[in-house]
Amino acid sequence: MQKDPIQLSSPILGAGAKAGAVDVAAAATRFSGGGPVGNNLSIPSLEPQSAEAFRRRSLCSIDQPGVVMTKLPQELEDTQHEFGSKLVVIMVGLPARGKSYLVKKLQRYLTWLQYDTKVFNVGNRRRIASKGDNRNGTSHSHVFFDPNNTAAKNIRDDLALESLEELIIWLKQGGRVGIHDATNSSRERRKLLLHRLESEPNCRVLFIESICTDPVVLAHNITMKLSSPDYKGMDEKQARDDFKKRLENYEKAYQTLGEEDEEDGIQYCKLINVGKKVIAYNIQGYLAGQCIFYLMNFNLSPRCIWLTRHGESLDNIAGKIGGDAPLSAKGKKYASCLSRFIKHQRQEQEKSRRSEAQSGMAVSPQRERTTAVWTSMLTRTKETVEEFDPKDYDIKHMRFLNEIYAGICEELTYSEIQERYPEEYEARRVNKLFYRYPGMGGESYLDVIQRLNPLIIELERMTSDLLIVTHRVVLRILLGYLMDIDRSKMPDMDVHLHTLYCVEPKPHGTVVKRFRWVEEQDWFVEEQVEK
């Protein structure tokens, strides 16, 4: 039997230091943003039973849940949650520059990759602290953000540090990535945060600055900002005037990331106009690199992502898992209706987007009109798209989208698995997310997540509409990402045959629709989606 343990982590905190003569304290200084360490220093012996010494060991920075496992000394097994990559992401940027949008996207992606990620929003803390003081109809009027208002500045700095303290405590309790969501728009504020983090040598720090110069996107962001809790119940004109003055106050003290910040040895990334231009400096480690690679690949183009399982196959009728069976007669009928329905939806979407563009409501123009179609390499998905004309669709068959491989359980029914391999059946029932099927090539949900990672990046990069025809486990994982579904619920999602999902990424969130194929009508009927 081959099953992954629940605890998956790696003591790579402090990764980046080379093996050799390096003073541990000096290494901690460099880790928190200090200068390079000299070669004339000596290594004190690291006691293997010391958790602190074990954390400071220099190892590779690859730390993927479900892929990389660490064996700890027996005396440290109770502190397993303290190990693994710890990353503090500090956001930088003026208000209405899309920071919260970036934060939500990044949190969703890292959580999907199984890194425990949490956002600590300073604005929410400020609003809670200011209850009962709603001057001029807001939690804090523009006067509160005046850089010359010393008392207010001290309060803002204290709130930022309080959020950071909460973040640090959460990381020590087992969290992996903490995101400090605030403007942090002055070097003085950033140095304040860095100074506090210097006493936490087990945390890497990554600054992400969002810059927006696109007038259309900026106008849309400002309009969205007026619906925030700060302006609840306020007249729109009054709210807009107050927010405009708030922006002016921020701009007085705003200092973009640059050479002076580089002197502190930090790693940072500047995203300009939602990733159209990216500037990265001193990026270290696998996790920080994954964050940057992800952020530089998404866009705001309007598009629909359609997802469905293949039509009914002969193995579905027999109740077998895996295999490579062809479609049944009913499955072929579903495939035919799917091609007609997608064609109809393309025509309707084109009308809607044309109307949106004419009204000036489009944030970004759609640049690709050809719809992409992706399937797995297995017969049942290929047959499901046989009626899609390659002249009208960009059709690709991808191994990424193959169903989870069940090893020795391939082409068995669940009853047969329970009878032949009762221990495997029970292990899978207890923890489907971590369970790996036994036998050559057997996979777990986590294996499939890592297999799908490149496809998620490509999906975010695309500007065209897309239809994905895949399998039950893969569909659960893709919907888990797109709909931000909790990982504990993802393995048990109901994703029935002959059901079609439509996901539309929007600047303010994701819109999800679900359609069920009705065989008697030979058409799709929309159903209510329960997340």
Side-chain angles (χ1 to χ4, degrees):
M1 292 185 294
Q2 183 184 11
K3 292 179 279 292
D4 284 343
I6 300 299
Q7 298 172 329
L8 299 169
S9 59
S10 173
I12 62 174
L13 307 179
K18 296 180 179 179
V22 179
D23 180 76
V24 170
T29 301
R30 178 177 68 178
F31 185 78
S32 61
V37 180
N39 294 326
N40 58 340
L41 302 172
S42 60
I43 292 184
S45 62
L46 298 180
E47 296 296 331
Q49 70 273 16
S50 166
E52 188 64 23
F54 205 83
R55 289 191 199 96
R56 294 175 187 269
R57 291 199 330 190
S58 171
L59 301 176
C60 74
S61 65
I62 298 177
D63 180 22
Q64 297 174 275
V67 177
V68 178
M69 299 171 58
T70 294
K71 184 175 181 179
L72 294 174
Q74 186 174 358
E75 58 270 26
L76 296 182
E77 287 182 354
D78 291 339
T79 62
Q80 174 81 249
H81 69 278
E82 299 178 18
F83 296 95
S85 303
K86 304 283 184 176
L87 181 67
V88 178
V89 176
I90 298 179
M91 299 302 296
V92 177
L94 293 168
R97 263 57 180 185
K99 293 188 301 300
S100 294
Y101 174 74
L102 295 176
V103 161
K104 289 177 183 176
K105 294 277 286 187
L106 186 59
Q107 180 190 31
R108 184 181 71 177
Y109 175 65
L110 293 175
T111 300
W112 179 79
L113 285 176
Q114 307 306 303
Y115 294 102
D116 287 328
T117 305
K118 187 173 180 179
V119 177
F120 297 81
N121 185 280
V122 178
N124 289 340
R125 180 176 288 272
R126 168 179 59 78
R127 282 183 280 271
I128 293 172
S130 66
K131 279 187 175 179
D133 184 26
N134 293 334
R135 292 168 292 177
N136 298 326
T138 69
S139 298
H140 281 119
S141 72
H142 64 89
V143 177
F144 183 78
F145 303 92
D146 188 336
N148 297 319
N149 186 338
T150 304
K153 176 183 176 300
N154 291 336
I155 293 174
R156 296 199 308 272
D157 288 344
D158 288 344
L159 291 170
L161 284 172
E162 288 174 13
S163 290
L164 185 63
E165 289 296 335
E166 186 182 356
L167 184 157
I168 291 170
I169 291 171
W170 178 78
L171 288 178
K172 289 181 177 179
Q173 293 172 344
R176 302 296 292 278
V177 183
I179 303 177
H180 191 267
D181 185 13
T183 56
N184 298 318
S185 52
S186 70
R187 293 192 181 95
E188 182 182 358
R189 163 73 70 80
R190 298 194 287 267
K191 286 180 180 291
L192 191 68
L193 300 177
L194 276 175
H195 179 71
R196 171 61 186 91
L197 287 166
E198 285 176 357
S199 60
E200 303 295 335
N202 303 321
C203 299
R204 287 191 180 277
V205 182
L206 171 65
F207 287 90
I208 297 177
E209 181 177 10
S210 180
I211 299 173
C212 181
T213 59
D214 187 321
V216 176
V217 176
L218 191 55
H220 181 272
N221 290 348
I222 290 174
T223 300
M224 292 294 295
K225 200 74 176 178
L226 298 181
S227 62
S228 75
D230 277 350
Y231 297 106
K232 185 177 181 180
M234 181 185 286
D235 174 74
E236 183 179 345
K237 184 180 183 303
Q238 183 184 0
R240 191 175 291 275
D241 289 342
D242 184 86
F243 187 69
K244 182 179 178 181
K245 292 176 182 177
R246 181 190 295 194
L247 277 177
E248 291 172 354
N249 282 331
Y250 268 109
E251 288 168 352
K252 292 176 186 177
Y254 181 62
Q255 295 169 302
T256 186
L257 291 166
E259 292 183 1
E260 187 170 329
D261 297 275
E262 293 171 9
E263 293 175 0
D264 293 327
I266 68 170
Q267 53 179 344
Y268 71 76
C269 175
K270 299 171 76 165
L271 292 166
I272 302 170
N273 293 329
V274 200
K276 287 184 178 179
K277 182 177 181 180
V278 179
I279 300 172
Y281 175 79
N282 195 34
I283 303 302
Q284 304 169 9
Y286 176 82
L287 192 48
Q290 282 292 108
C291 292
I292 304 308
F293 184 58
Y294 172 73
L295 290 174
M296 66 189 292
N297 276 285
F298 66 82
N299 64 87
L300 296 177
S301 294
R303 62 198 188 279
C304 290
I305 302 169
W306 299 90
L307 306 102
T308 184
R309 290 174 65 185
H310 52 82
E312 180 189 73
S313 71
L314 297 180
D315 276 349
N316 289 139
I317 296 174
K320 296 179 179 179
I321 66 172
D324 193 22
L327 295 183
S328 67
K330 184 177 180 180
K332 290 179 180 178
K333 188 176 179 182
Y334 173 77
S336 177
C337 184
L338 178 65
S339 67
R340 288 184 279 111
F341 184 74
I342 293 297
K343 182 178 180 179
H344 170 75
Q345 289 295 318
R346 287 180 66 187
Q347 295 168 347
E348 293 299 310
Q349 285 292 336
E350 187 64 29
K351 292 179 186 177
S352 175
R353 289 167 187 166
R354 196 159 40 236
S355 174
E356 191 176 67
Q358 291 172 353
S359 65
M361 296 299 293
V363 175
S364 176
Q366 186 184 15
R367 293 184 287 275
E368 300 288 348
R369 293 193 176 186
T370 301
T371 298
V373 176
W374 297 350
T375 82
S376 75
M377 290 286 197
L378 300 177
T379 301
R380 53 195 183 273
T381 62
K382 290 181 179 180
E383 289 186 351
T384 303
V385 301
E386 277 187 351
E387 293 196 23
F388 286 80
D389 191 340
K391 294 178 183 178
D392 297 325
Y393 297 90
D394 179 20
I395 303 174
K396 285 184 170 57
H397 306 302
M398 302 180 173
R399 201 170 298 278
F400 294 121
L401 291 169
N402 281 12
E403 179 60 302
I404 188 171
Y405 187 69
I408 61 174
C409 298
E410 278 283 304
E411 299 192 71
L412 298 179
T413 66
Y414 286 115
S415 296
E416 290 172 335
I417 295 172
Q418 185 176 18
E419 181 181 345
R420 298 185 193 183
Y421 311 107
E423 292 183 11
E424 296 294 339
Y425 184 87
E426 179 62 16
R428 177 182 176 276
R429 187 192 65 79
V430 170
N431 195 326
K432 289 171 68 174
L433 182 65
F434 284 84
Y435 173 80
R436 176 176 287 128
Y437 280 102
M440 182 68 70
E443 291 183 303
S444 68
Y445 268 79
L446 294 181
D447 294 327
V448 179
I449 287 172
Q450 295 300 333
R451 169 165 39 104
L452 289 171
N453 191 16
L455 185 141
I456 290 294
I457 300 297
E458 182 65 12
L459 185 151
E460 289 288 0
R461 184 197 65 78
M462 292 182 64
T463 59
S464 67
D465 289 344
L466 169 66
L467 169 65
I468 297 177
V469 181
T470 185
H471 309 267
R472 179 163 52 189
V473 170
V474 177
L475 183 55
R476 283 172 174 163
I477 291 172
L478 291 175
L479 289 174
Y481 168 75
L482 292 167
M483 297 172 63
D484 196 17
I485 293 172
D486 187 270
R487 66 182 178 187
S488 64
K489 299 178 181 178
M490 181 184 66
D492 297 307
M493 287 176 60
D494 288 329
V495 286
H496 300 291
L497 285 172
H498 304 160
T499 303
L500 179 64
Y501 294 84
C502 177
V503 179
E504 291 186 78
K506 301 280 188 179
H508 53 78
T510 302
V511 177
V512 181
K513 298 177 182 178
R514 185 175 66 197
F515 301 85
R516 177 175 55 87
W517 177 61
V518 179
E519 186 177 7
E520 294 76 17
Q521 301 176 22
D522 198 18
W523 198 245
F524 288 84
V525 176
E526 187 172 353
E527 296 182 321
Q528 184 177 355
V529 177
E530 295 180 5
K531 187 173 178 180

